[in-house]
């Protein structure tokens, strides 16, 4: 049975342009077993951290956002909550089928196809960015963090944007929250 909640590290409800084409609703899930050196969100690693959010409430929030072109999911490790994310995306895409989905994962695609709970989530994903972040391989290219990571189209819905997603690093955004704090969104440019 699917849980009715999902553990979230953070959300960008107003949308971002830094994590894919168009205005994207960004979700960072909580919990990751990897310890990638230079991880941009190390606070998202703890499995007991973050906030449990009702999936139906999150669905409602996403579908009621005007101007959103897609959803980008990162973490933490999204595929550790694959069942919950599948439930969320299935409900969202039933109401807004034109939204595109980009997912970042530390797994490589070949590993994911061996996980039975991952296949449904992969079926709703347009672009998969796979592989662990390796700080020494950060080459400032595209929306991936390091050169070992792959930007893999799983559908053709974002094919016109692939050159932009694998080209030079675009930018990061700083977004103010209601609590007067700032969140940095995007893959930082590595200063050499």
């Amino acid at each position: 049975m699917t849980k009715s909640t999902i553990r979230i590290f953070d959300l960008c409800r107003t949308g971002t342009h830094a994590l894919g084409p168009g205005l994207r609703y960004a979700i960072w899930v909580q919990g990751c077993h990897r310890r990638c050196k230079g991880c941009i969100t190390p606070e998202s690693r703890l499995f007991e951290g973050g906030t449990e959010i009702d999936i139906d409430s999150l669905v409602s929030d996403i579908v009621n956002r005007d101007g959103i072109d897609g959803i980008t999911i990162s973490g933490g490790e999204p595929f550790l909550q694959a069942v919950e994310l599948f439930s969320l995306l299935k409900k969202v895409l039933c109401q807004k089928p034109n939204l595109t989905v980009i997912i970042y994962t530390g797994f490589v695609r070949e590993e994911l196809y061996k996980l039975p709970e991952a296949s449904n989530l992969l079926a709703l994903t347009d672009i998969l960015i796979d592989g662990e972040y390796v700080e020494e391989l950060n080459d400032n290219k595209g929306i991936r963090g390091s050169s070992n990571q792959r930007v893999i189209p799983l559908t053709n819905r974002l094919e016109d944007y692939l050159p932009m997603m694998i080209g030079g690093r675009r930018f990061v955004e700083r977004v103010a929250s209601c609590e007067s704090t700032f969140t940095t969104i995007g893959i930082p440019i590595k200063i050499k």
Side-chain angles (χ1 to χ4, degrees):
M1 185 170 154
T2 304
K3 284 178 25 185
S4 62
T5 61
I6 186 166
R7 189 166 288 277
I8 299 295
F9 169 68
D10 203 359
L11 300 168
C12 181
R13 292 180 158 110
T14 57
T16 177
H17 292 278
L19 295 174
L23 187 63
R24 310 194 68 78
Y25 192 106
I27 300 170
W28 291 269
V29 297
Q30 184 72 39
C32 182
H33 58 282
R34 299 175 196 279
R35 297 294 179 258
C36 301
K37 178 182 166 193
C39 173
I40 194 170
T41 55
E43 306 88 350
S44 70
R45 294 175 181 162
L46 297 174
F47 287 93
E48 62 278 2
T51 304
E52 286 281 332
I53 296 181
D54 179 76
I55 289 172
D56 288 335
S57 295
L58 192 49
V59 168
S60 178
D61 189 51
I62 295 168
V63 299
N64 288 310
R65 296 282 165 182
D66 290 331
I68 297 294
D69 299 300
I71 301 167
T72 297
I73 302 170
S74 190
E77 174 51 62
F79 284 90
L80 296 179
Q81 296 189 70
V83 173
E84 293 81 4
L85 285 170
F86 171 74
S87 174
L88 170 77
L89 290 176
K90 184 177 177 186
K91 291 175 180 183
V92 168
L93 294 173
C94 279
Q95 296 180 59
K96 287 199 165 182
N98 291 331
L99 293 182
T100 59
V101 177
I102 297 174
I103 299 182
Y104 285 82
T105 179
F107 289 102
V108 294
R109 176 179 53 177
E110 294 76 12
E111 291 174 309
L112 291 173
Y113 284 121
K114 296 176 185 175
L115 302 175
E117 63 275 8
S119 61
N120 287 336
L121 182 55
L122 287 168
L124 299 180
T125 305
D126 296 295
I127 297 284
L128 181 72
I129 300 168
D130 78 341
E132 288 188 12
Y133 173 70
V134 179
E135 188 174 44
E136 295 78 19
L137 298 177
N138 183 341
D139 60 0
N140 293 328
K141 294 216 175 148
I143 65 171
R144 60 175 173 63
S146 54
S147 63
N148 62 299
Q149 296 174 315
R150 300 177 293 180
V151 178
I152 305 169
L154 299 180
T155 71
N156 63 359
R157 295 188 340 136
L158 290 172
E159 68 185 348
D160 291 344
Y161 298 96
L162 276 176
M164 176 271 301
M165 288 191 269
I166 60 177
R169 187 92 15 103
R170 291 171 35 175
F171 54 84
V172 296
E173 295 174 335
R174 293 197 32 96
V175 179
S177 72
C178 297
E179 295 82 30
S180 297
T181 60
F182 287 92
T183 299
T184 300
I185 301 172
I187 312 298
I189 294 174
K190 181 179 178 181
I191 308 297
K192 297 183 183 199

